[in-house]
């Protein structure tokens, strides 16, 4: 039986090549993603270790115990502590640091890589006895010597097109600063190499910006050769002020830094894994269809084996052995393809501005085992049902010359099972239409409902094939006898047609569902981004911890053309066990810049101890105007009884609650600061006014000046990953579907050799044969596309109910243009996939074909 399986593999190697390729794609995504993950993790660890090479122990400030007043927790890292640490046994050098966050503008005045607070680093250049900083070796120019100078790393200078001698706009928090670029350095800090920026100040300036005068944010201790890091760490801890500083070994610090950056960039690995799952899921149907057709063609052969003594288990083992051999080949090819995928993935990610540390590919046991497990496992499991079917072939089948259609009882069982699954899946999705939130439980139910619905469509598709293809046959019938033959060929074996169309059906359903959800979400975000906004511009911070200084607020208000400038302080409101957002406003300016629709009360009585609530929050808490609300605001979480002065319809601009700015600003993310300025102008949004506003805030890289259209575009960018995923799934589905159609038609042509010969003998020319095969492929593609569109749009409608509960502006919006393009792409896939089988069919000699036994 082993020799028989091996012979069958080599006998059908051309037909099995399509199956190998389909599984190979999934294996490539899995193994490539795992190799990329291991390689990037190793590169991060290497870069982090190199960045802090020579550091045995790092000393950092310790958070004060809970309840300790801020003014009683004085800084501990100063020059006196530096001298103490330098005198410890085994210590060779001590380097104090003053680190924080700094964002700068590129040469064209736009913020450089802003929005990544974790990767926009600011630090001090701390020269040693030789006048050089070992942490940041100079590449060009000289180090910053006073408060008017700064240096950046070479990557930042290149990305921002900055040159030595340029005046650079930089901000750490508050007002912007203008400093001259005097040098560039190199760094191995993983936060910078992962797409961040680095700005270096002189030591005194960095202390003033990130710590306090004469104090530091950290102290790095280097040890003599042979000194144990843990022993040195204990000696360091003995001289540290109690509860005010802590020590961590250099190795632990490097690992922690690498882990932090790895966590920040973990999303890079999610999308390839999704592609891998979809590839393998869709590819498994191709495997099932291929082996089903092979078993069908070898019915007489298997029956003869049974007749000469082969048992059922031997037949099953023979088919599974073929699948095992194919899986091994697919795994090997997929692993090699995955290595190429892992090699180019860092460059692909680099086009988004997120660079990764350089390093060699790390090929561990995990990717190899995953490639084998996935490739072999999927192929063998997919071949199991055809193997069982092969084992059920009776010896008497060797006497039959035609394949027997499935029995009526079997068709009834399929129909009952498919209908039951359809009712369960559709019922589960319909039940979610009444859900009011996108909770984790509802999301799991939605995923389960979609999965059951897909299985139901797969089970029922052979029963749907006949009526749908007859309907499509009205179009193919316009091509005359060739079109009628194409339709009848597609109807000849509904199971085979359904299995061939299953790959296209699944990919079309995924793409259609994601397209509808993505389009509906994008439009909802568009409406939400400007909902409740009566202002022409919104000036906001890029990070929640930064603020807008009072001087900038005054300059904005004094800008020519500005009618109203409403300063808004944002904070958190803890009520009912949940965290809500509260905006501190002035009632008069808020009325001019926010579209507030009060259903109860008004904003006139807003003041300390008095707040207005959104209708959603008021409904949850069961309060109205004049009632009392128990809540706490900001970090101190002091419970206060607020008087509700009004209830307004849900408003994204006003957020969940409105309070007096004089009260909220003391509890804001940065106490006493402003997070937003809503600007109403005399002439609306114009480029000239926007430039004036940017000038008014000093062109600070920490601030955004956006009009309504820019707010909408920013909100639409939130669904960018979903759209990328959608198009990626479409490409995968098209490729695997094309492979399936090619495989099926190639086998079908081989089965119908004599039939094609007869057609050629009675006068059908080569072009008609090719047209018949193409029309058959387009018919199958149309069948799968139609089922996929129906299932995908229905699933999107049901799942969209969850988004509607979480986003009031959400409404189902079908992207007809996208769906039409998907249909055209699917039909084109069928036509192109039929090219080779059609050419082979047309090339058959009539005499040889008719004579074939």
């Amino acid at each position: 039986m082993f020799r028989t399986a091996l012979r069958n593999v080599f006998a059908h190697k051309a037909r099995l090549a399509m199956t190998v390729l389909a599984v190979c794609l999934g294996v490539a995504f899995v193994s490539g993603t795992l190799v990329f993950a291991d390689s990037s993790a190793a590169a991060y660890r290497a870069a982090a270790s190199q960045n802090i090479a020579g550091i045995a122990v790092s000393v950092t400030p310790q958070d004060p115990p809970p309840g300790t007043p801020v003014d009683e927790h004085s800084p501990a890292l100063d020059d006196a502590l530096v001298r103490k640490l330098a005198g410890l046994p085994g210590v060779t050098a001590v380097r104090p640091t003053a680190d924080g966050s700094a964002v700068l503008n590129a040469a064209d005045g736009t913020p450089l890589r802003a929005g990544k607070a974790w990767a926009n680093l600011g630090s001090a250049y701390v020269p040693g006895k030789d006048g050089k900083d070992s942490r940041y070796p100079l590449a060009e120019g000289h180090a910053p010597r006073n408060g008017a100078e700064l240096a950046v790393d070479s990557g930042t200078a290149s990305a921002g097109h900055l040159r030595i001698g340029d005046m650079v706009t930089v901000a750490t928090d508050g007002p912007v600063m203008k400093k001259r670029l005097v040098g560039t350095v190199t760094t191995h800090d993983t936060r910078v190499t992962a797409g961040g920026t680095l700005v270096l100040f002189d030591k005194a300036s960095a202390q003033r910006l990130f710590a306090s005068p004469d104090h530091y944010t950290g102290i790095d201790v280097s040890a003599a050769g042979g000194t144990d890091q843990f022993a040195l760490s204990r000696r360091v801890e003995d001289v540290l002020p109690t509860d005010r500083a802590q020590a961590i070994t250099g190795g632990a610090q490097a690992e922690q830094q690498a882990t932090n950056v790895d966590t920040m960039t973990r999303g890079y690995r999610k999308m390839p894994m999704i592609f891998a799952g979809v590839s393998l899921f869709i590819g498994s149907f191709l495997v099932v269809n291929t082996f089903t057709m092979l078993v069908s063609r070898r019915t007489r052969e298997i029956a003869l084996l049974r007749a000469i003594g082969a048992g059922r288990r031997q037949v099953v083992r023979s088919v599974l052995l073929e699948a095992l051999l194919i899986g091994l080949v697919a795994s090997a090819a997929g692993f090699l393809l995955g290595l190429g995928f892992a090699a180019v993935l860092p460059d692909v990610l680099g086009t988004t501005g997120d660079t990764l540390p350089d390093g060699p590919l790390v090929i561990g046991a995990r990717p190899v085992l995953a490639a084998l497990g996935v490739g072999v496992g999927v192929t063998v499991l997919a071949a199991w049902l055809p193997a069982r079917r092969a084992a059920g072939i009776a010896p008497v089948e060797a006497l039959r010359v035609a394949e027997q259609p499935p029995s009526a009882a079997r068709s009834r069982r399929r129909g009952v099972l498919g209908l039951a699954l359809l009712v369960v899946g559709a019922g589960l999705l319909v039940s979610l239409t009444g859900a009011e939130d996108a909770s984790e439980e509802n999301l799991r139910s939605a995923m389960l409902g979609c999965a059951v619905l897909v299985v139901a469509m797969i089970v029922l598709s052979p029963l749907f094939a006949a009526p749908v293809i007859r309907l499509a046959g009205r179009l193919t019938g316009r091509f005359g006898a060739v079109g009628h033959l194409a339709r009848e060929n597609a109807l000849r074996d509904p199971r085979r047609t359904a299995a061939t169309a299953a790959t296209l059906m699944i990919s079309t359903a995924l793409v259609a569902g994601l397209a509808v959800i993505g389009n509906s979400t994008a439009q909802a975000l568009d409406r939400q981004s400007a909902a409740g906004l009566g202002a022409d511009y919104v000036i906001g911070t890029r990070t929640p911890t930064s603020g807008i200084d009072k001087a900038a607020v005054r300059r904005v208000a004094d800008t020519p053309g500005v009618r109203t400038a409403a300063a808004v302080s944002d904070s958190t409101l803890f009520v009912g066990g949940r965290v809500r957002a509260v905006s501190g406003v002035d009632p008069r300016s808020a009325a001019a810049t926010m579209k507030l629709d009060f259903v109860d009360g008004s904003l006139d009585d807003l003041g300390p101890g008095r707040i207005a609530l959104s209708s959603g929050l008021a409904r949850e808490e069961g309060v109205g105007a004049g009632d009392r609300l128990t809540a706490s605001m900001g970090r101190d979480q002091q419970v206060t009884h607020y008087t509700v002065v009004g209830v307004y319809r849900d408003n994204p601009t006003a957020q969940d609650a409105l309070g007096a700015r004089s009260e909220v600003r003391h509890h804001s993310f940065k106490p006493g600061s402003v997070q937003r300025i809503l600007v109403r102008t005399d002439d609306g949004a114009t480029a000239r006014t926007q430039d004036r506003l940017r000038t008014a805030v000093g062109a600070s890289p920490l601030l955004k000046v956006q009009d309504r259209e820019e707010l909408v575009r920013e909100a639409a960018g939130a669904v960018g990953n979903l759209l990328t995923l959608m198009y990626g799934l479409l490409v995968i589905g098209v490729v695997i579907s094309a492979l399936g159609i090619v495989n099926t038609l190639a086998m079908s042509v081989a089965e119908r050799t004599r039939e094609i010969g007869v057609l050629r003998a009675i006068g059908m020319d080569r072009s008609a044969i090719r047209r018949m095969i193409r029309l058959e492929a387009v018919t199958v593609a149309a069948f799968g596309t139609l089922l996929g569109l129906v299932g995908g749009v229905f699933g999107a409608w049901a799942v969209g109910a969850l988004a509607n509960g979480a986003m009031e502006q959400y409404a189902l919006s079908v992207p007809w243009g996208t769906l039409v393009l998907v249909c055209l792409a699917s039909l084109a896939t069928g036509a192109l996939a039929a090219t080779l089988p059609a050419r082979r069919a047309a090339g058959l000699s009539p005499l040889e074909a008719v004579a074939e036994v």
Side-chain angles (χ1 to χ4, degrees), residues 125-143:
Y125 187 90
V126 183
K129 295 179 180 179
D130 58 355
K132 299 179 181 179
D133 190 337
S134 59
R135 176 76 64 86
Y136 304 114
L138 279 169
E140 188 179 1
H142 62 82

Side-chain angles (χ1 to χ4, degrees), residues 51 74 93 135 143 158 176 192 235 260 408 475 531 535 626 701 722 778 804 808-810 845:
N51 179 52
S74 58
R135 176 76 64 86
S158 176
V176 297
V192 180
R235 288 198 293 270
N260 290 341
L475 297 177
L722 182 62
V778 171
N804 192 24
E808 186 178 3
Q809 289 79 9
Y810 184 92
S845 170

Side-chain angles (χ1 to χ4, degrees), residues 596-620:
L596 298 173
D597 183 9
F598 277 86
V599 297
D600 190 11
S602 68
L603 206 62
D604 296 338
D605 297 328
L606 192 68
R610 297 172 177 269
I611 60 175
L613 304 180
S614 66
S615 56
L617 179 56
R619 182 172 56 252
E620 290 179 6

Side-chain angles (χ1 to χ4, degrees), residues 357-396:
D358 293 329
L361 290 180
V362 177
I363 305 175
R366 187 175 63 153
V368 176
L369 294 177
L372 288 173
V374 169
V376 174
V378 168
T379 310
V380 172
L381 286 176
W384 182 71
L385 284 177
R388 290 282 304 273
R389 191 173 301 156
I393 296 175
V396 72

Side-chain angles (χ1 to χ4, degrees), residues 19 31 134-135 137 181 215 246 308 311 357 369 378 391 451 457 505 520 522 564 609 630 690 710 714 759 766 824:
T19 303
S31 59
S134 59
R135 176 76 64 86
L181 179 62
H215 287 84
Q246 59 186 349
I308 62 176
L369 294 177
V378 168
M457 293 175 64
M505 178 187 70
S520 303
T564 306
T630 302
Q690 192 165 17
E710 289 172 327
E714 184 179 64
L759 291 174
R766 296 178 185 272
L824 293 177

Side-chain angles (χ1 to χ4, degrees), residues 43-53 188-190 253-255 257-258:
Y44 282 135
R45 286 192 294 268
S49 299
Q50 190 174 6
N51 179 52
I52 60 175
H188 298 287
D189 194 305
T190 52
Q253 185 182 10
E255 189 67 28
Q257 187 179 113

Side-chain angles (χ1 to χ4, degrees), residues 425 428-432 438-453 517 795 798-802:
L428 191 58
L429 290 176
V430 171
S431 67
L432 295 174
S439 64
E440 185 176 349
E441 181 180 355
N442 286 335
L443 289 175
R444 283 199 300 266
S445 299
M447 293 177 64
L448 177 61
C450 290
V452 174
L453 187 63
I517 293 175
V799 174
L802 301 181

